[in-house]
C-alpha cells in the first residue's frame, strides 16, 4: 500500500511540477529576440545574444573577426540607421544539440531594405555560459 501511495504521489508531483525549459526552445527564443531587436533598430539589444567576450568569433566575407566590442563597432559602422538595417528575417533550419551546454544552429537570413534585399545562410555555435545561451561563433555568408 505504501508503494502505491508513494507512486501516486510521485506521479502527482511530476504532473504539477513546472516544466523545465527545453534547450532548443531557449535557443529559438534567443534568435527571435535578436530578430525583434534588429527590427526595432536596436543593435545594442541585438548584441545581447552574443557572448560578451574578446574570444567571440565572427566569420564573414572570408575574414575572421574576434571580440564582442569589435563586432558591435562593426555593426554600428555598417548599419548606421534604420534604413541601412532594414527588416531582418531569420529562418532556423536546424538546431542540433551537441551537449547539454552547446548547440549548432543553421539557418537563412534576409535583410529587406528599400534598395536591396541581401540574403544568405548562417551557422552559429551557441554555448550555455552562466546559465544563459549565447552565440560564441557566428559564420554568416
Amino acid at each position: 500500500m505504501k508503494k502505491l501511495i508513494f507512486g501516486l504521489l510521485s506521479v502527482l508531483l511530476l504532473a504539477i511540477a513546472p516544466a523545465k525549459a527545453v534547450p532548443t526552445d531557449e535557443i529559438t527564443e534567443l534568435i527571435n529576440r535578436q530578430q525583434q531587436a534588429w527590427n526595432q533598430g536596436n543593435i545594442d539589444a541585438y548584441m545581447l545574444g552574443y557572448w560578451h567576450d574578446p574570444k567571440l568569433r565572427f566569420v564573414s566575407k572570408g575574414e575572421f573577426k574576434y571580440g564582442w566590442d569589435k563586432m558591435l563597432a562593426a555593426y554600428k559602422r555598417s548599419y548606421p540607421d534604420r534604413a541601412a538595417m532594414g527588416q531582418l528575417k531569420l529562418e532556423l533550419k536546424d538546431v542540433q544539440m551537441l551537449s547539454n551546454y552547446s548547440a549548432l544552429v543553421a539557418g537563412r537570413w534576409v535583410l529587406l531594405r528599400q534598395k536591396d534585399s541581401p540574403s544568405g545562410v548562417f551557422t552559429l555555435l551557441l554555448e550555455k555560459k552562466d546559465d544563459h545561451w549565447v552565440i560564441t561563433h557566428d559564420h554568416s555568408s
Side-chain angles (χ1 to χ4, degrees):
M1 183 69 165
K2 286 182 181 179
K3 287 183 181 181
L4 178 62
I5 292 173
F6 180 75
L8 290 173
L9 283 174
S10 297
V11 169
L12 181 62
L13 287 174
L14 287 173
I16 62 173
K20 283 189 165 184
V22 177
T24 54
D25 292 344
E26 292 176 356
I27 290 166
T28 299
E29 179 57 32
L30 180 144
I31 302 300
N32 289 339
R33 281 193 314 268
Q34 282 193 293
Q35 178 178 279
Q36 183 178 20
W38 186 275
N39 291 337
Q40 292 171 346
N42 190 340
I43 291 176
D44 294 310
Y46 173 81
M47 287 294 296
L48 294 176
Y50 287 94
W51 184 32
H52 196 156
D53 192 275
K55 291 182 262 182
L56 167 66
R57 182 174 38 225
F58 185 78
V59 183
S60 183
K61 298 179 184 174
E63 293 184 28
F64 289 85
K65 298 174 186 167
Y66 292 88
W68 190 92
D69 293 323
K70 289 180 183 177
M71 192 169 165
L72 174 63
Y75 270 126
K76 288 189 174 187
R77 269 192 315 275
S78 297
Y79 303 98
D81 55 39
R82 291 290 300 266
M85 290 180 76
Q87 289 292 300
L88 178 63
K89 287 191 174 194
L90 299 173
E91 179 186 354
L92 295 183
K93 291 292 188 181
D94 185 47
V95 177
Q96 179 184 359
M97 296 305 301
L98 303 175
S99 73
N100 291 334
Y101 300 99
S102 63
L104 187 63
V105 177
R108 297 188 162 280
W109 63 271
V110 63
L111 198 55
L112 303 170
R113 300 187 287 203
Q114 282 199 341
K115 61 182 178 179
D116 63 1
S117 295
S119 63
V121 296
F122 61 85
T123 305
L124 307 172
L125 176 63
L126 285 91
E127 297 181 59
K128 198 163 193 177
K129 302 222 181 244
D130 299 323
D131 206 34
H132 297 287
W133 287 99
V134 290
I135 299 165
T136 59
H137 175 98
D138 180 335
H139 184 184
S140 296
S141 60

